[in-house]
């Protein structure tokens, strides 16, 4: 099997899966949502995750000042909301209103959960890491919520920039691990 060299900038595009999440934030009564692809697990115990946010985003200041955020999973019903929250800035619009999403109270952070999302995890920032053009806010997961009966069959979204496109659904089980 011979692989041909491609441009470095295209290399990432060809890795099959990038996650898509909606991150909700709040500071001084201002609520906002940002679509993100930069999400990673950093530790099992304690449970640490991270979101990469560019300093130009309105959400950047809200996370830095509040020290909190909520990561919300997205299924195919939330695809339009992902588009809206990834194109508009909370500096100009109320994205909860525009994307028709409902903020609900979390248990341990002030940042709201998104009611329409099947899974939401509440995070408290423990570290900021500046790398390249984004800052990673590493957060300890302090509470987690799941919709009753939720399954990947509900059409969990991911992004495959690949050759053909954009948002795709998670497929089926192919083996044990
Ligand atoms: C699918 C998708 C993934 C994105 N991933 C990120 C990301 O990981 N980090 C980031 O800073 N911006 C990301 N963006 C861009 C922001 O969502 C976008 O700039 C947004 O308008 C910022 O909103 P805000 O100014 O209200 O914070 C992504 C956009 C889309 C559509």
């Amino acid at each position: 099997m011979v692989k041909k060299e491609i441009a470095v900038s295209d290399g990432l595009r060809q890795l099959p899966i990038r996650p898509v999440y909606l991150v909700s934030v709040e500071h001084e009564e201002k609520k906002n949502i940002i679509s993100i692809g930069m999400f990673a697990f950093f530790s099992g115990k304690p449970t640490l995750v991270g979101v990469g946010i560019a300093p130009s985003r309105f959400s950047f200041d809200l996370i830095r000042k509040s020290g909190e955020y909520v990561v919300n999973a997205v299924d195919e019903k939330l695809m339009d909301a992902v588009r809206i929250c990834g194109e508009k800035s909370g500096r100009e619009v109320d994205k909860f209103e525009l994307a028709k999403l409902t903020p609900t109270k979390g248990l341990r952070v002030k940042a709201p959960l998104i009611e329409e999302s099947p899974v939401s995890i509440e995070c408290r920032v423990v570290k900021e890491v500046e790398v390249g053009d984004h800052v990673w806010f590493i957060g300890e997961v302090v509470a987690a919520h799941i919709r009753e009966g939720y399954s990947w069959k509900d059409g969990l979204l991911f992004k495959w920039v690949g050759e053909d496109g954009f948002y795709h659904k998670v497929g089926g089980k192919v083996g044990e691990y």
Side-chain angles (χ1 to χ4, degrees):
M1 251 196 284
V2 180
K3 288 197 270 275
K4 63 171 185 177
E5 185 178 5
I6 54 174
V8 169
S9 55
D10 284 339
L12 251 191
R13 294 170 64 83
Q14 297 299 335
L15 289 180
I17 287 184
R18 291 200 223 166
V20 181
Y21 294 105
L22 289 172
V23 170
S24 40
V25 293
E26 177 170 346
H27 179 63
E28 290 179 346
E29 311 306 322
K30 178 74 193 169
K31 295 179 179 52
N32 195 38
I33 312 169
I34 177 172
S35 301
I36 64 146
M38 290 200 184
F39 171 87
F41 283 100
F42 282 89
S43 162
K45 271 188 194 157
T47 308
L48 301 177
V49 298
V51 292
I53 309 288
S56 59
R57 317 292 187 226
F58 181 54
S59 306
F60 181 89
D61 291 331
L62 300 186
I63 296 178
R64 180 167 264 181
K65 286 177 182 154
S66 66
E68 299 174 346
Y69 59 86
V70 175
V71 180
N72 303 272
V74 288
D75 57 27
E76 63 182 313
K77 289 189 216 108
L78 290 170
M79 191 170 65
D80 286 341
V82 169
R83 290 206 177 98
I84 292 167
C85 296
E87 282 167 12
K88 304 280 180 196
S89 176
R91 286 191 190 94
E92 281 99 42
V93 294
D94 177 340
K95 287 195 249 184
F96 273 98
E97 216 174 279
L98 200 63
K100 299 191 172 57
L101 297 175
T102 317
T104 58
K105 260 192 160 334
L107 288 175
R108 312 230 156 74
V109 301
K110 207 169 170 229
L113 317 186
I114 296 174
E115 190 176 296
E116 292 77 4
S117 160
V119 183
S120 301
I121 58 172
E122 299 180 34
C123 305
R124 205 168 278 144
V125 176
V126 294
K127 199 178 178 68
E128 280 185 25
V129 185
E130 202 179 317
V131 272
D133 53 9
H134 285 64
V135 171
W136 281 83
F137 291 99
I138 314 289
E140 175 160 10
V141 180
V142 290
H145 311 260
I146 187 162
R147 181 193 293 155
E148 212 175 314
Y150 168 69
S151 138
W152 59 266
K153 291 176 192 149
D154 293 352
L156 201 64
L157 282 191
F158 67 90
K159 184 171 142 183
W160 183 22
V161 186
E163 75 279 356
D164 79 324
F166 211 47
Y167 299 113
H168 297 255
K169 285 196 284 189
V170 172
K173 182 163 80 174
V174 290
E176 305 293 324
Y177 69 92

